[in-house]
């Protein structure tokens, strides 16, 4: 699983780079052809990781439920995000990855409720969930990159 944790840290580092190197205005802008924004895509990865790993294993979330309720699948982007929330998300991107590794190493995920994702993948264990989550976060990293390119094109 070390490789999968390394991949998780890297995708989170990439997401953090977009978050830190995009203006506040651009993070919240919904580009033409999209139904969400860069900020939503990044916050959604944090919320989904908690659901896939903690909720499905019957464990408490490691983040405030606000993030889950506001950015889970099916939610709409919040266009009134304060800069302090962006800073909180920067922290969560890094810390939830570290906490996941610690929890995994301490056998925190002994039970896991099987779940079929909307992508069509069957998750039967925490290992499956970690591997799938990396794919999910990479997908949203791609969306965030596409949205940033669309915004840059719209501005120039």
């Amino acid at each position: 699983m070390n490789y999968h944790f390394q991949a998780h840290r890297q995708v989170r580092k990439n997401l953090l780079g977009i978050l830190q190197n995009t203006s506040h205005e651009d993070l919240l802008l919904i580009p033409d052809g999209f139904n969400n924004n860069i900020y939503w895509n990044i916050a959604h990865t944090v919320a989904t990781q908690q659901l896939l790993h903690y909720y499905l294993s019957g464990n408490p979330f490691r983040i405030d439920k606000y993030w889950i309720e506001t950015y889970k699948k099916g939610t709409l982007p919040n266009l009134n995000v304060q800069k302090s929330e962006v800073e909180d998300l920067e922290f969560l991107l890094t810390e939830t990855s570290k906490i996941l590794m610690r929890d995994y190493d301490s056998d925190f995920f002994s039970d896991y409720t099987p779940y079929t994702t909307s992508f069509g993948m069957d998750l039967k264990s925490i290992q499956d969930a970690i591997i799938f989550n990396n794919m999910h976060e990479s997908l949203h990293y791609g969306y965030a990159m596409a949205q940033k390119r669309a915004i840059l094109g719209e501005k120039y």
Side-chain angles (χ1 to χ4, degrees):
M1 288 300 293
N2 285 337
Y3 177 83
H4 299 293
F5 286 119
Q6 180 182 358
H8 189 246
R9 285 190 306 273
Q10 186 61 51
V11 74
R12 289 291 181 92
K13 182 179 175 183
N14 294 347
L15 289 165
L16 183 61
I18 289 179
L19 192 61
Q20 292 176 329
N21 296 303
T22 305
S23 73
H24 189 79
E25 175 187 272
D26 287 351
L27 285 173
L28 303 181
L29 182 65
I30 300 174
D32 289 342
F34 292 90
N35 62 359
N36 54 41
N37 54 31
I38 295 169
Y39 186 82
W40 184 91
N41 274 285
I42 296 172
H44 172 72
T45 65
V46 172
T48 301
Q49 182 261 336
Q50 293 289 300
L51 289 164
L52 291 174
H53 298 153
Y54 291 89
Y55 177 76
L56 290 174
S57 64
N59 288 305
F61 297 129
R62 296 299 198 195
I63 63 174
D64 191 281
K65 200 168 183 176
Y66 161 81
W67 293 95
I68 311 296
E69 294 304 319
T70 308
Y71 297 105
K72 67 184 177 184
K73 182 178 179 172
T75 60
L76 298 173
N78 178 0
L79 302 179
N80 200 20
V81 172
Q82 302 303 308
K83 290 187 181 191
S84 61
E85 187 176 316
V86 176
E87 292 167 1
D88 290 344
L89 182 56
E90 291 174 4
F91 176 79
L92 290 175
L93 279 169
T94 303
E95 290 305 305
T96 54
S97 186
K98 291 176 187 175
I99 292 167
L100 172 65
M101 288 187 296
R102 278 198 304 265
D103 286 344
Y104 182 83
D105 287 342
S106 64
D107 292 324
F108 193 67
F109 305 103
S110 55
D111 292 324
Y112 195 82
T113 302
Y115 176 73
T116 301
T117 69
S118 59
F119 196 80
M121 298 293 297
D122 292 325
L123 308 181
K124 297 177 182 171
S125 66
I126 188 62
Q127 292 84 1
D128 290 350
I130 290 168
I131 293 166
F132 174 78
N133 185 67
N134 285 345
M135 182 176 68
H136 176 260
E137 291 192 11
S138 296
L139 173 87
H140 285 280
Y141 172 62
Y143 269 109
M145 288 191 315
Q147 289 173 323
K148 189 163 184 173
R149 287 187 185 117
I151 289 167
L152 292 175
E154 288 174 10
K155 286 188 165 184
Y156 301 102

